[in-house]
Amino acid sequence: MATSMEIVPSGELQKQFGRYSDEAMIRPVGVSRNGRVRFVMVPVDEYERLRRRERIAGRVEDLDDETLEAIRGVEPGRGAQDAEKRLNAAAAG
């Protein structure tokens, strides 16, 4: 999905809902009220993709040994040496 977002006042959205709902299938449409964007219209597949990306943050100390070993077994990408050091220090700590 394109990253540029069209912003439309809520009154304009009410008048031309069909136009802006079609536009939202191409790019996000921000809906403003009193000059502030209140919500964004996106296609349902984009919304579902974003929902799947939600993550719950947790502490390394809360991971079981099997998960920690699985993480240690992953080949780090470029620039991941610092993250690996922090992971090992947290597990040892």
Side-chain angles (χ1 to χ4, degrees):
M1 168 169 271
T3 57
S4 63
M5 177 170 65
E6 180 170 354
I7 298 175
V8 60
S10 58
E12 184 68 19
L13 174 71
Q14 289 175 332
K15 292 176 190 172
Q16 296 189 43
F17 182 79
R19 172 185 172 212
Y20 291 111
S21 63
D22 289 344
E23 183 70 23
M25 297 303 290
I26 300 167
R27 64 181 176 161
V29 175
V31 181
S32 67
R33 184 170 176 191
N34 298 326
R36 296 185 64 191
V37 175
R38 303 276 305 246
F39 64 92
V40 177
M41 294 172 43
V42 294
V44 70
D45 59 337
E46 177 69 2
Y47 170 77
E48 290 169 351
R49 185 188 71 78
L50 292 169
R51 290 286 306 212
R52 285 191 301 271
R53 290 190 61 190
E54 287 183 351
R55 296 187 179 155
I56 299 173
R59 300 179 324 155
V60 172
E61 295 83 11
D62 296 335
L63 296 174
D64 59 54
D65 291 338
E66 183 179 347
T67 303
L68 284 171
E69 287 306 314
I71 292 170
R72 284 189 188 101
V74 173
E75 284 293 321
R78 277 195 265 158
Q81 291 82 13
D82 290 340
E84 186 175 2
K85 289 176 187 174
R86 288 193 306 267
L87 177 64
N88 289 333

